[in-house]
Amino acid sequence: MSTSELLTVEPLDLQFPFELKKQISCSLYLTNKTDNNVAFKVKTTNPKKYCVRPNTGVVLPRSTCEVLVTMQAQKEAPSDMQCKDKFLLQGVIASPGVTAKEVTPEMFSKEAGHLVEETKLKVTYVAPPRPPSPVHEGSEEGSSPRASVSDNGHGSEFSFQRFSVDKGEPQENTSEARALITKLTEEKQSAMQLNNRLQRELDQLRRESKKSQSGGIPFMYVLLVGLIGLILGYIMKRT
């Protein structure tokens, strides 16, 4: 902030968040500390690079005026990110009732005996603001546990140990599942083999029953004896 008698200028350092191929603006605030109208004019050492709106005007007594300084889009960045551009703000007491359109260059002429107050401003390039980082919510079900942070800033040792233990559990469960699938497959094959065997035995019993009927042996008796023998054989095989 300047300590001028007519206008208080803030800031004295115009900071531009430098980005290639992008227009960047910075606001300049002029405060009239007097009871008179104060006319102002803004000059720069590089007028092609900057656009100042308004570059001339009038600040009413005890009021503040905003001046917008826009840097045109730049195709190249300086190697050291240093800027040598300067601005000069001139202020002079104006007649009562004067308007911004009535401000002329002659009003700021020192040769004409006008008391012109000047404030020099510099330009600084700063890093552009970083976008806000996304907020990670709690870990979803099935995701790997994350290391928590304790009050002293170090990772929690307990969390990492739990991660190493949990990591081995899916392998054990996979081995058990494979063994169970193999066992069920073998039992299914055994059941299919038994079913085929029973079907063959049943066909054999039917053929024998036809022969036995001529000898007087009841068909149901022969079938029952055959089935009991097959069941007993299967039980002995399983045990």
Side-chain angles (χ1 to χ4, degrees):
M1 181 184 298
S2 69
T3 56
S4 304
E5 295 181 0
L6 298 179
L7 293 175
T8 298
V9 184
E10 187 177 4
L12 296 177
D13 184 5
L14 297 177
Q15 297 185 353
F16 292 92
F18 189 87
E19 293 185 60
L20 289 175
K21 301 179 181 181
K22 184 178 180 180
Q23 285 189 347
I24 308 168
S25 299
C26 179
S27 293
L28 189 65
Y29 297 95
L30 313 178
T31 302
N32 184 354
K33 302 184 295 182
T34 71
D35 295 327
N36 302 311
N37 289 342
V38 176
F40 69 88
K41 183 177 182 179
V42 181
K43 295 181 178 181
T44 178
T45 57
N46 196 344
K48 293 183 179 180
K49 185 177 178 180
Y50 300 94
C51 177
V52 182
R53 291 291 182 271
N55 60 345
T56 60
V58 177
V59 185
L60 299 178
R62 307 297 176 180
S63 63
T64 299
C65 175
E66 180 182 6
V67 176
L68 188 64
V69 182
T70 302
M71 182 176 68
Q72 303 301 323
Q74 301 298 301
K75 297 181 180 180
E76 296 180 357
S79 57
D80 54 359
M81 289 299 291
Q82 300 295 322
C83 184
K84 298 181 180 180
D85 299 334
K86 304 291 182 182
F87 282 82
L88 178 66
L89 176 71
Q90 295 179 314
V92 64
I93 295 178
S95 302
V98 67
T99 63
K101 294 182 179 181
E102 297 173 345
V103 176
T104 62
E106 290 75 14
M107 297 174 60
F108 304 93
S109 174
K110 296 180 181 180
E111 289 77 6
H114 296 146
L115 182 60
V116 181
E117 187 177 80
E118 296 181 340
T119 302
K120 295 181 180 180
L121 310 173
K122 65 178 182 178
V123 177
T124 303
Y125 294 149
V126 296
R130 295 181 179 179
S133 58
V135 179
H136 296 286
E137 298 180 355
S139 59
E140 299 179 356
E141 183 179 356
S143 61
S144 301
R146 301 175 181 174
S148 61
V149 179
S150 58
D151 295 338
N152 57 6
H154 299 289
S156 172
E157 182 181 2
F158 172 76
S159 298
F160 284 107
Q161 289 179 348
R162 183 180 62 180
F163 177 81
S164 61
V165 173
D166 293 344
K167 189 175 181 180
E169 289 182 356
Q171 297 180 355
E172 296 179 359
N173 294 337
T174 302
S175 300
E176 294 178 358
R178 289 178 179 175
L180 180 59
I181 292 174
T182 302
K183 182 179 179 181
L184 292 175
T185 303
E186 293 176 353
E187 292 183 355
K188 179 180 178 181
Q189 293 177 352
S190 299
M192 293 177 63
Q193 293 175 359
L194 178 60
N195 182 56
N196 294 335
R197 181 182 174 184
L198 290 174
Q199 186 65 36
R200 290 194 301 270
E201 295 290 341
L202 181 59
D203 294 338
Q204 182 65 24
L205 289 175
R206 286 176 177 174
R207 288 193 296 269
E208 293 179 356
S209 64
K210 293 180 180 180
K211 296 179 182 180
S212 62
Q213 285 179 359
S214 60
I217 301 176
F219 168 73
M220 293 301 298
Y221 175 78
V222 176
L223 181 61
L224 180 60
V225 172
L227 289 176
I228 292 174
L230 290 175
I231 294 172
L232 290 177
Y234 176 73
I235 295 175
M236 292 179 65
K237 182 179 179 181
R238 295 288 295 175
T239 57

